[in-house]
Short mmCIF file of all heavy atoms in Angstrom, two decimals:
data_model
loop_
_atom_site.label_atom_id
_atom_site.label_comp_id
_atom_site.label_asym_id
_atom_site.label_seq_id
_atom_site.Cartn_x
_atom_site.Cartn_y
_atom_site.Cartn_z
N GLU A 1 61.90 107.65 5.96
CA GLU A 1 63.14 107.17 6.73
C GLU A 1 64.36 107.85 6.12
O GLU A 1 64.39 108.17 4.96
CB GLU A 1 63.26 105.73 6.75
CG GLU A 1 62.29 104.99 7.72
CD GLU A 1 60.83 105.06 7.32
OE1 GLU A 1 60.62 105.52 6.33
OE2 GLU A 1 59.86 104.70 7.99
N GLN A 2 65.26 108.05 6.98
CA GLN A 2 66.60 108.62 6.44
C GLN A 2 67.73 107.74 6.94
O GLN A 2 67.65 106.88 7.72
CB GLN A 2 66.72 110.05 6.99
CG GLN A 2 66.75 110.12 8.55
CD GLN A 2 66.83 111.53 8.93
OE1 GLN A 2 66.93 112.50 8.08
NE2 GLN A 2 66.60 111.85 10.17
N GLY A 3 68.80 107.96 6.16
CA GLY A 3 70.02 107.11 6.57
C GLY A 3 71.22 108.05 6.60
O GLY A 3 71.21 109.15 6.14
N ILE A 4 72.30 107.49 7.15
CA ILE A 4 73.60 108.19 7.20
C ILE A 4 74.44 107.52 6.15
O ILE A 4 74.63 106.35 6.18
CB ILE A 4 74.26 107.95 8.61
CG1 ILE A 4 73.25 108.38 9.76
CG2 ILE A 4 75.54 108.60 8.71
CD1 ILE A 4 72.94 109.82 9.83
N VAL A 5 74.94 108.38 5.26
CA VAL A 5 75.85 107.96 4.12
C VAL A 5 77.24 108.53 4.41
O VAL A 5 77.40 109.73 4.57
CB VAL A 5 75.36 108.33 2.78
CG1 VAL A 5 76.34 107.93 1.72
CG2 VAL A 5 73.97 107.86 2.52
N ASN A 6 78.15 107.65 4.66
CA ASN A 6 79.56 107.98 4.76
C ASN A 6 80.17 108.08 3.42
O ASN A 6 79.47 107.85 2.36
CB ASN A 6 80.31 107.02 5.68
CG ASN A 6 79.77 107.17 7.12
OD1 ASN A 6 79.59 108.21 7.65
ND2 ASN A 6 79.54 106.02 7.84
N PRO A 7 81.52 108.16 3.29
CA PRO A 7 82.07 108.26 1.92
C PRO A 7 81.60 107.02 1.14
O PRO A 7 81.47 105.96 1.60
CB PRO A 7 83.63 108.14 2.28
CG PRO A 7 83.75 108.76 3.65
CD PRO A 7 82.48 108.38 4.35
N LEU A 8 81.34 107.38 -0.16
CA LEU A 8 80.73 106.28 -0.99
C LEU A 8 81.62 105.05 -1.12
O LEU A 8 82.94 105.14 -1.10
CB LEU A 8 80.56 106.91 -2.42
CG LEU A 8 79.47 107.87 -2.48
CD1 LEU A 8 79.47 108.51 -3.94
CD2 LEU A 8 78.16 107.36 -2.13
N PRO A 9 81.06 103.88 -1.30
CA PRO A 9 81.94 102.60 -1.45
C PRO A 9 82.66 102.77 -2.78
O PRO A 9 82.20 103.40 -3.81
CB PRO A 9 80.90 101.57 -1.47
CG PRO A 9 79.50 102.11 -1.34
CD PRO A 9 79.66 103.59 -1.24
N GLN A 10 83.74 102.16 -2.79
CA GLN A 10 84.71 102.10 -4.02
C GLN A 10 84.30 100.90 -4.88
O GLN A 10 84.07 99.76 -4.38
CB GLN A 10 86.10 102.07 -3.65
CG GLN A 10 86.53 103.27 -2.87
CD GLN A 10 86.26 104.65 -3.58
OE1 GLN A 10 86.72 104.75 -4.72
NE2 GLN A 10 85.51 105.53 -3.00
N PRO A 11 84.37 101.09 -6.25
CA PRO A 11 84.10 99.94 -7.14
C PRO A 11 85.14 98.85 -6.87
O PRO A 11 86.26 99.18 -6.61
CB PRO A 11 84.24 100.59 -8.55
CG PRO A 11 84.16 102.05 -8.38
CD PRO A 11 84.51 102.31 -6.92
N GLY A 12 84.75 97.62 -7.18
CA GLY A 12 85.72 96.55 -7.14
C GLY A 12 85.82 95.77 -5.86
O GLY A 12 86.24 94.66 -5.77
N GLU A 13 85.43 96.46 -4.71
CA GLU A 13 85.37 95.76 -3.36
C GLU A 13 84.06 95.37 -3.03
O GLU A 13 83.09 96.18 -3.16
CB GLU A 13 86.05 96.72 -2.39
CG GLU A 13 87.50 96.97 -2.57
CD GLU A 13 88.32 95.77 -2.39
OE1 GLU A 13 88.07 94.90 -1.53
OE2 GLU A 13 89.39 95.60 -3.19
N PRO A 14 83.80 94.22 -2.40
CA PRO A 14 82.43 93.94 -2.05
C PRO A 14 81.88 94.71 -0.94
O PRO A 14 82.60 95.25 -0.08
CB PRO A 14 82.53 92.45 -1.58
CG PRO A 14 84.02 92.19 -1.31
CD PRO A 14 84.79 93.16 -2.12
N VAL A 15 80.61 94.95 -0.95
CA VAL A 15 79.87 95.73 0.04
C VAL A 15 79.02 94.72 0.84
O VAL A 15 78.27 93.90 0.27
CB VAL A 15 78.93 96.80 -0.51
CG1 VAL A 15 78.11 97.39 0.61
CG2 VAL A 15 79.70 97.88 -1.25
N ILE A 16 79.25 94.58 2.12
CA ILE A 16 78.54 93.62 2.96
C ILE A 16 77.33 94.35 3.54
O ILE A 16 77.42 95.40 4.14
CB ILE A 16 79.41 93.16 4.20
CG1 ILE A 16 80.76 92.61 3.65
CG2 ILE A 16 78.66 92.19 4.98
CD1 ILE A 16 80.62 91.48 2.71
N ILE A 17 76.19 93.77 3.36
CA ILE A 17 74.96 94.31 3.78
C ILE A 17 74.27 93.57 4.85
O ILE A 17 74.07 92.24 4.73
CB ILE A 17 73.83 94.42 2.54
CG1 ILE A 17 74.50 95.30 1.43
CG2 ILE A 17 72.50 94.98 3.07
CD1 ILE A 17 73.64 95.31 0.22
N ASP A 18 74.06 94.27 6.04
CA ASP A 18 73.39 93.52 7.08
C ASP A 18 72.02 94.17 7.26
O ASP A 18 71.91 95.43 7.35
CB ASP A 18 74.29 93.78 8.41
CG ASP A 18 73.61 93.19 9.65
OD1 ASP A 18 73.07 92.02 9.49
OD2 ASP A 18 73.62 93.83 10.70
N CYS A 19 70.92 93.35 7.32
CA CYS A 19 69.54 93.81 7.44
C CYS A 19 68.93 93.02 8.51
O CYS A 19 69.06 91.81 8.55
CB CYS A 19 68.84 93.56 6.13
SG CYS A 19 67.01 93.99 6.19
N ARG A 20 68.28 93.77 9.44
CA ARG A 20 67.61 93.16 10.58
C ARG A 20 66.16 93.75 10.78
O ARG A 20 66.06 94.92 10.67
CB ARG A 20 68.40 93.39 11.85
CG ARG A 20 69.71 92.81 11.86
CD ARG A 20 70.57 93.13 13.19
NE ARG A 20 71.95 92.77 12.89
CZ ARG A 20 72.45 91.66 13.33
NH1 ARG A 20 71.70 90.69 13.85
NH2 ARG A 20 73.70 91.41 13.10
N ALA A 21 65.25 92.86 10.91
CA ALA A 21 63.90 93.25 11.18
C ALA A 21 63.80 93.75 12.62
O ALA A 21 64.22 92.95 13.51
CB ALA A 21 62.92 92.13 10.92
N THR A 22 63.38 94.99 12.89
CA THR A 22 63.30 95.47 14.30
C THR A 22 61.84 95.43 14.76
O THR A 22 61.63 95.38 16.00
CB THR A 22 63.86 96.88 14.36
OG1 THR A 22 63.15 97.74 13.45
CG2 THR A 22 65.34 96.90 14.03
N LYS A 23 60.84 95.46 13.88
CA LYS A 23 59.44 95.29 14.29
C LYS A 23 58.73 94.74 13.08
O LYS A 23 58.92 94.93 11.95
CB LYS A 23 58.80 96.74 14.48
CG LYS A 23 59.33 97.47 15.70
CD LYS A 23 58.62 98.81 15.88
CE LYS A 23 59.17 99.57 17.01
NZ LYS A 23 58.50 100.83 17.25
N LEU A 24 57.75 93.82 13.43
CA LEU A 24 56.96 93.15 12.41
C LEU A 24 55.53 93.13 12.94
O LEU A 24 55.27 92.76 14.08
CB LEU A 24 57.34 91.68 12.20
CG LEU A 24 58.75 91.48 11.42
CD1 LEU A 24 58.98 90.05 11.34
CD2 LEU A 24 58.59 91.96 10.01
N ARG A 25 54.57 93.43 12.09
CA ARG A 25 53.18 93.39 12.31
C ARG A 25 52.60 92.49 11.16
O ARG A 25 52.68 92.79 10.07
CB ARG A 25 52.47 94.72 12.34
CG ARG A 25 52.95 95.58 13.53
CD ARG A 25 52.24 96.92 13.58
NE ARG A 25 50.79 96.65 13.60
CZ ARG A 25 49.96 97.69 13.41
NH1 ARG A 25 50.42 99.00 13.12
NH2 ARG A 25 48.64 97.55 13.48
N LYS A 26 52.06 91.31 11.58
CA LYS A 26 51.51 90.37 10.63
C LYS A 26 50.03 90.30 10.67
O LYS A 26 49.50 90.22 11.72
CB LYS A 26 52.16 88.95 10.94
CG LYS A 26 53.66 88.93 10.81
CD LYS A 26 54.15 87.48 11.15
CE LYS A 26 55.52 87.40 11.04
NZ LYS A 26 56.11 86.13 11.32
N GLY A 27 49.42 90.33 9.43
CA GLY A 27 48.02 90.16 9.30
C GLY A 27 47.83 88.93 8.46
O GLY A 27 48.71 88.18 8.10
N ASP A 28 46.56 88.61 8.09
CA ASP A 28 46.28 87.42 7.29
C ASP A 28 46.90 87.54 5.87
O ASP A 28 47.45 86.53 5.32
CB ASP A 28 44.79 87.19 7.08
CG ASP A 28 44.04 86.87 8.41
OD1 ASP A 28 44.80 86.31 9.20
OD2 ASP A 28 42.90 87.07 8.58
N LYS A 29 46.94 88.76 5.26
CA LYS A 29 47.38 88.85 3.94
C LYS A 29 48.49 89.89 3.77
O LYS A 29 48.79 90.32 2.73
CB LYS A 29 46.28 89.10 3.01
CG LYS A 29 45.31 88.01 2.87
CD LYS A 29 44.62 87.99 1.62
CE LYS A 29 43.78 86.76 1.48
NZ LYS A 29 43.52 86.42 0.09
N ARG A 30 49.00 90.44 4.87
CA ARG A 30 50.05 91.43 4.80
C ARG A 30 50.99 91.42 5.98
O ARG A 30 50.60 90.99 7.05
CB ARG A 30 49.51 92.78 4.49
CG ARG A 30 48.68 93.39 5.64
CD ARG A 30 48.07 94.71 5.20
NE ARG A 30 47.14 95.19 6.16
CZ ARG A 30 46.26 96.05 5.99
NH1 ARG A 30 46.31 96.84 4.87
NH2 ARG A 30 45.38 96.40 6.90
N VAL A 31 52.17 91.88 5.72
CA VAL A 31 53.16 92.09 6.78
C VAL A 31 53.77 93.44 6.68
O VAL A 31 54.19 93.89 5.63
CB VAL A 31 54.30 91.01 6.70
CG1 VAL A 31 55.35 91.23 7.69
CG2 VAL A 31 53.74 89.64 6.81
N LEU A 32 53.84 94.15 7.82
CA LEU A 32 54.39 95.46 7.83
C LEU A 32 55.73 95.28 8.70
O LEU A 32 55.66 94.79 9.82
CB LEU A 32 53.56 96.54 8.54
CG LEU A 32 54.08 97.93 8.70
CD1 LEU A 32 54.42 98.59 7.42
CD2 LEU A 32 53.25 98.77 9.57
N GLY A 33 56.82 95.66 8.17
CA GLY A 33 58.14 95.39 8.83
C GLY A 33 58.92 96.76 8.85
O GLY A 33 58.91 97.56 7.93
N ARG A 34 59.73 96.91 10.00
CA ARG A 34 60.68 97.86 10.03
C ARG A 34 62.12 97.25 10.09
O ARG A 34 62.22 96.30 10.81
CB ARG A 34 60.41 98.79 11.26
CG ARG A 34 61.46 99.91 11.51
CD ARG A 34 60.68 101.15 11.83
NE ARG A 34 61.60 102.32 11.81
CZ ARG A 34 61.31 103.43 11.48
NH1 ARG A 34 60.06 103.72 11.22
NH2 ARG A 34 62.16 104.43 11.50
N TYR A 35 63.02 97.83 9.28
CA TYR A 35 64.26 97.21 9.14
C TYR A 35 65.45 98.15 9.28
O TYR A 35 65.37 99.33 8.87
CB TYR A 35 64.40 96.63 7.68
CG TYR A 35 63.25 95.65 7.36
CD1 TYR A 35 62.10 96.03 6.87
CD2 TYR A 35 63.45 94.21 7.69
CE1 TYR A 35 61.00 95.16 6.63
CE2 TYR A 35 62.41 93.38 7.44
CZ TYR A 35 61.26 93.80 6.97
OH TYR A 35 60.20 92.94 6.73
N GLU A 36 66.48 97.72 9.99
CA GLU A 36 67.68 98.49 10.08
C GLU A 36 68.69 97.94 9.10
O GLU A 36 68.86 96.67 8.78
CB GLU A 36 68.33 98.26 11.49
CG GLU A 36 67.64 98.96 12.61
CD GLU A 36 68.44 98.67 13.93
OE1 GLU A 36 69.29 97.82 14.04
OE2 GLU A 36 68.04 99.43 14.83
N PHE A 37 69.48 98.79 8.43
CA PHE A 37 70.44 98.42 7.48
C PHE A 37 71.82 99.02 7.83
O PHE A 37 71.87 100.12 8.30
CB PHE A 37 70.09 98.99 6.06
CG PHE A 37 68.91 98.40 5.44
CD1 PHE A 37 67.64 98.89 5.67
CD2 PHE A 37 69.01 97.24 4.61
CE1 PHE A 37 66.58 98.36 5.00
CE2 PHE A 37 67.95 96.66 3.99
CZ PHE A 37 66.69 97.26 4.27
N ARG A 38 72.87 98.21 7.54
CA ARG A 38 74.24 98.65 7.73
C ARG A 38 75.00 98.03 6.64
O ARG A 38 74.98 96.89 6.29
CB ARG A 38 74.85 98.10 9.05
CG ARG A 38 74.33 98.84 10.26
CD ARG A 38 74.97 98.25 11.55
NE ARG A 38 76.39 98.28 11.62
CZ ARG A 38 77.15 99.34 11.96
NH1 ARG A 38 76.59 100.42 12.26
NH2 ARG A 38 78.51 99.24 11.85
N PHE A 39 75.66 98.96 5.74
CA PHE A 39 76.51 98.60 4.61
C PHE A 39 77.88 98.82 5.13
O PHE A 39 78.17 100.00 5.42
CB PHE A 39 76.07 99.35 3.42
CG PHE A 39 74.69 99.17 2.74
CD1 PHE A 39 73.68 98.54 3.50
CD2 PHE A 39 74.52 99.52 1.54
CE1 PHE A 39 72.44 98.40 2.99
CE2 PHE A 39 73.23 99.34 0.97
CZ PHE A 39 72.20 98.79 1.68
N THR A 40 78.80 97.86 4.91
CA THR A 40 80.19 98.04 5.22
C THR A 40 80.99 97.57 3.91
O THR A 40 80.66 96.73 3.24
CB THR A 40 80.64 97.29 6.51
OG1 THR A 40 80.36 95.96 6.25
CG2 THR A 40 79.99 97.83 7.66
N GLN A 41 82.16 98.27 3.79
CA GLN A 41 83.21 97.84 2.82
C GLN A 41 84.48 97.89 3.50
O GLN A 41 84.89 98.92 4.07
CB GLN A 41 83.13 98.77 1.69
CG GLN A 41 84.01 98.33 0.52
CD GLN A 41 83.90 99.37 -0.67
OE1 GLN A 41 84.14 100.54 -0.47
NE2 GLN A 41 83.63 98.74 -1.84
N ASN A 42 85.28 96.76 3.50
CA ASN A 42 86.57 96.71 4.12
C ASN A 42 86.46 97.12 5.53
O ASN A 42 87.24 97.93 6.09
CB ASN A 42 87.56 97.59 3.33
CG ASN A 42 87.94 96.98 2.06
OD1 ASN A 42 87.82 95.79 1.80
ND2 ASN A 42 88.18 97.94 1.03
N ASP A 43 85.44 96.63 6.25
CA ASP A 43 85.18 96.97 7.72
C ASP A 43 84.94 98.42 7.94
O ASP A 43 85.00 98.94 9.08
CB ASP A 43 86.32 96.42 8.59
CG ASP A 43 86.42 94.92 8.57
OD1 ASP A 43 85.44 94.21 8.48
OD2 ASP A 43 87.59 94.40 8.58
N ARG A 44 84.61 99.27 6.90
CA ARG A 44 84.28 100.65 7.07
C ARG A 44 82.80 100.81 6.75
O ARG A 44 82.28 100.38 5.75
CB ARG A 44 85.17 101.44 6.10
CG ARG A 44 84.91 102.90 6.18
CD ARG A 44 85.87 103.61 5.25
NE ARG A 44 85.83 103.17 3.87
CZ ARG A 44 85.06 103.68 2.87
NH1 ARG A 44 84.42 104.77 3.02
NH2 ARG A 44 85.04 103.19 1.63
N LEU A 45 82.06 101.47 7.68
CA LEU A 45 80.63 101.72 7.53
C LEU A 45 80.49 102.76 6.38
O LEU A 45 81.04 103.79 6.39
CB LEU A 45 80.12 102.35 8.87
CG LEU A 45 78.67 102.58 8.79
CD1 LEU A 45 77.87 101.29 8.68
CD2 LEU A 45 78.21 103.39 10.10
N VAL A 46 79.73 102.39 5.38
CA VAL A 46 79.43 103.33 4.24
C VAL A 46 77.98 103.77 4.21
O VAL A 46 77.64 104.74 3.56
CB VAL A 46 79.82 102.69 2.85
CG1 VAL A 46 81.31 102.57 2.83
CG2 VAL A 46 79.05 101.47 2.56
N TYR A 47 77.08 103.04 4.92
CA TYR A 47 75.62 103.47 4.95
C TYR A 47 75.03 102.84 6.33
O TYR A 47 75.31 101.63 6.47
CB TYR A 47 74.77 103.00 3.72
CG TYR A 47 73.38 103.27 3.90
CD1 TYR A 47 72.86 104.54 3.62
CD2 TYR A 47 72.50 102.30 4.27
CE1 TYR A 47 71.46 104.88 3.66
CE2 TYR A 47 71.17 102.58 4.34
CZ TYR A 47 70.73 103.86 4.06
OH TYR A 47 69.27 104.07 4.17
N GLU A 48 74.20 103.59 6.89
CA GLU A 48 73.38 103.12 7.97
C GLU A 48 72.00 103.78 7.95
O GLU A 48 71.97 105.02 7.81
CB GLU A 48 74.11 103.44 9.30
CG GLU A 48 73.43 102.85 10.56
CD GLU A 48 74.27 103.18 11.76
OE1 GLU A 48 74.83 104.20 11.86
OE2 GLU A 48 74.43 102.14 12.58
N GLY A 49 70.99 103.03 8.08
CA GLY A 49 69.64 103.64 8.17
C GLY A 49 68.56 102.68 8.42
O GLY A 49 68.88 101.39 8.78
N ASP A 50 67.28 103.08 8.36
CA ASP A 50 66.15 102.21 8.61
C ASP A 50 65.03 102.49 7.62
O ASP A 50 64.95 103.67 7.09
CB ASP A 50 65.74 102.20 10.06
CG ASP A 50 65.19 103.55 10.49
OD1 ASP A 50 65.09 104.52 9.67
OD2 ASP A 50 64.67 103.60 11.61
N GLN A 51 64.33 101.50 7.33
CA GLN A 51 63.31 101.63 6.35
C GLN A 51 62.02 100.75 6.81
O GLN A 51 62.18 99.84 7.52
CB GLN A 51 63.65 101.13 5.03
CG GLN A 51 64.77 102.01 4.43
CD GLN A 51 65.17 101.55 2.98
OE1 GLN A 51 64.44 100.81 2.35
NE2 GLN A 51 66.34 102.04 2.60
N THR A 52 60.87 101.12 6.29
CA THR A 52 59.68 100.54 6.58
C THR A 52 59.14 99.91 5.26
O THR A 52 59.14 100.56 4.22
CB THR A 52 58.54 101.34 7.30
OG1 THR A 52 59.03 101.81 8.46
CG2 THR A 52 57.36 100.57 7.56
N ALA A 53 58.67 98.62 5.20
CA ALA A 53 58.12 97.98 4.04
C ALA A 53 56.92 97.28 4.39
O ALA A 53 56.69 96.68 5.47
CB ALA A 53 59.19 97.09 3.46
N MET A 54 55.99 97.24 3.41
CA MET A 54 54.69 96.39 3.55
C MET A 54 54.76 95.32 2.38
O MET A 54 54.94 95.69 1.25
CB MET A 54 53.49 97.19 3.50
CG MET A 54 52.20 96.39 3.70
SD MET A 54 50.74 97.36 3.85
CE MET A 54 51.02 98.08 5.51
N PHE A 55 54.37 94.09 2.78
CA PHE A 55 54.34 93.01 1.77
C PHE A 55 52.89 92.49 1.88
O PHE A 55 52.31 92.34 2.85
CB PHE A 55 55.34 91.87 2.11
CG PHE A 55 56.79 92.38 2.20
CD1 PHE A 55 57.40 92.81 3.31
CD2 PHE A 55 57.55 92.37 1.12
CE1 PHE A 55 58.64 93.26 3.36
CE2 PHE A 55 58.85 92.83 1.14
CZ PHE A 55 59.37 93.28 2.23
N PHE A 56 52.39 92.14 0.63
CA PHE A 56 51.08 91.63 0.51
C PHE A 56 51.06 90.24 -0.07
O PHE A 56 51.86 89.94 -0.95
CB PHE A 56 50.22 92.54 -0.44
CG PHE A 56 50.03 93.95 0.02
CD1 PHE A 56 50.97 94.96 -0.24
CD2 PHE A 56 48.95 94.32 0.86
CE1 PHE A 56 50.77 96.19 0.19
CE2 PHE A 56 48.76 95.56 1.26
CZ PHE A 56 49.63 96.52 1.00
N ARG A 57 50.14 89.46 0.35
CA ARG A 57 49.89 88.18 -0.24
C ARG A 57 48.67 88.29 -1.22
O ARG A 57 47.53 88.58 -0.69
CB ARG A 57 49.63 87.04 0.73
CG ARG A 57 49.27 85.73 0.01
CD ARG A 57 48.90 84.71 0.99
NE ARG A 57 50.03 84.33 1.83
CZ ARG A 57 49.94 84.03 3.05
NH1 ARG A 57 48.80 83.88 3.68
NH2 ARG A 57 51.10 83.79 3.77
N VAL A 58 48.86 88.11 -2.50
CA VAL A 58 47.74 88.37 -3.51
C VAL A 58 47.68 87.02 -4.25
O VAL A 58 48.72 86.63 -4.76
CB VAL A 58 48.07 89.48 -4.45
CG1 VAL A 58 46.84 89.67 -5.40
CG2 VAL A 58 48.30 90.78 -3.66
N GLU A 59 46.62 86.39 -4.12
CA GLU A 59 46.32 85.16 -4.80
C GLU A 59 45.45 85.33 -6.09
O GLU A 59 44.81 86.37 -6.13
CB GLU A 59 45.73 84.15 -3.95
CG GLU A 59 46.62 83.89 -2.70
CD GLU A 59 45.91 82.95 -1.71
OE1 GLU A 59 44.91 82.42 -1.90
OE2 GLU A 59 46.61 82.78 -0.69
N GLU A 60 45.52 84.48 -6.94
CA GLU A 60 44.71 84.63 -8.23
C GLU A 60 43.36 84.92 -7.95
O GLU A 60 42.67 84.21 -7.06
CB GLU A 60 44.89 83.33 -9.13
CG GLU A 60 44.41 83.49 -10.46
CD GLU A 60 44.60 82.38 -11.37
OE1 GLU A 60 45.57 81.63 -11.14
OE2 GLU A 60 43.93 82.16 -12.33
N GLY A 61 42.71 85.92 -8.49
CA GLY A 61 41.31 86.29 -8.23
C GLY A 61 41.13 87.22 -7.14
O GLY A 61 40.04 87.79 -7.04
N ASP A 62 42.18 87.55 -6.38
CA ASP A 62 42.04 88.52 -5.37
C ASP A 62 42.21 89.97 -5.98
O ASP A 62 42.83 90.13 -6.90
CB ASP A 62 43.20 88.46 -4.31
CG ASP A 62 43.02 87.26 -3.35
OD1 ASP A 62 41.94 86.60 -3.33
OD2 ASP A 62 43.94 86.95 -2.50
N SER A 63 41.58 90.90 -5.30
CA SER A 63 41.85 92.32 -5.63
C SER A 63 42.74 92.84 -4.54
O SER A 63 42.64 92.45 -3.43
CB SER A 63 40.53 93.09 -5.81
OG SER A 63 39.85 93.11 -4.50
N LEU A 64 43.50 93.94 -4.85
CA LEU A 64 44.36 94.45 -3.90
C LEU A 64 43.93 95.83 -3.51
O LEU A 64 43.86 96.71 -4.37
CB LEU A 64 45.88 94.57 -4.52
CG LEU A 64 46.87 95.15 -3.62
CD1 LEU A 64 47.02 94.24 -2.38
CD2 LEU A 64 48.30 95.10 -4.39
N ASP A 65 43.49 96.00 -2.25
CA ASP A 65 42.97 97.29 -1.79
C ASP A 65 44.05 97.94 -1.02
O ASP A 65 44.47 97.39 0.09
CB ASP A 65 41.77 97.04 -0.92
CG ASP A 65 41.23 98.33 -0.35
OD1 ASP A 65 41.66 99.45 -0.72
OD2 ASP A 65 40.26 98.31 0.48
N LEU A 66 44.63 99.02 -1.43
CA LEU A 66 45.76 99.75 -0.89
C LEU A 66 45.26 100.93 0.01
O LEU A 66 46.10 101.69 0.49
CB LEU A 66 46.75 100.32 -1.85
CG LEU A 66 47.41 99.22 -2.78
CD1 LEU A 66 48.28 99.85 -3.76
CD2 LEU A 66 48.24 98.22 -1.83
N SER A 67 43.96 101.05 0.23
CA SER A 67 43.41 102.17 1.09
C SER A 67 43.83 101.84 2.54
O SER A 67 43.99 100.72 2.96
CB SER A 67 41.91 102.26 0.89
OG SER A 67 41.25 101.11 1.34
N ALA A 68 43.97 102.95 3.25
CA ALA A 68 44.28 102.79 4.68
C ALA A 68 43.09 102.19 5.44
O ALA A 68 41.94 102.40 5.08
CB ALA A 68 44.61 104.29 5.26
N GLY A 69 43.48 101.46 6.49
CA GLY A 69 42.40 100.93 7.39
C GLY A 69 42.38 99.55 7.15
O GLY A 69 41.93 98.66 7.58
#
């Protein structure tokens, strides 16, 4: 995934981060999500992009298989 980076945020001012899930696929032990991000500082957009993440539920005694399929 790629993002658009505008002029870098300046130190000392807060950066407001907005993250929204745009797609979710849930299984018994994992969730695959696609997320949109917008970072603003003083109402000025400093970053915009999207990313995909996978989360696993691993309980004690489980093995984690990261192979596809």
Side-chain angles (χ1 to χ4, degrees):
E1 281 71 5
Q2 58 186 352
I4 306 296
V5 178
N6 290 321
L8 293 175
Q10 298 302 307
E13 293 294 325
V15 174
I16 307 301
I17 300 173
D18 180 43
C19 174
R20 298 175 194 267
T22 57
K23 292 182 183 179
L24 287 176
R25 292 181 58 191
K26 296 180 182 181
D28 289 338
K29 294 204 171 204
R30 62 183 169 194
V31 175
L32 177 68
R34 180 132 186 153
Y35 301 91
E36 286 181 347
F37 290 93
R38 287 179 54 86
F39 294 19
T40 57
Q41 185 180 55
N42 295 326
D43 296 323
R44 180 176 54 96
L45 183 66
V46 294
Y47 174 81
E48 183 174 42
D50 66 1
Q51 296 181 16
T52 300
M54 183 175 284
F55 301 92
F56 296 90
R57 176 183 298 146
V58 180
E59 298 174 8
E60 189 172 340
D62 285 353
S63 61
L64 182 59
D65 180 7
L66 299 177
S67 62

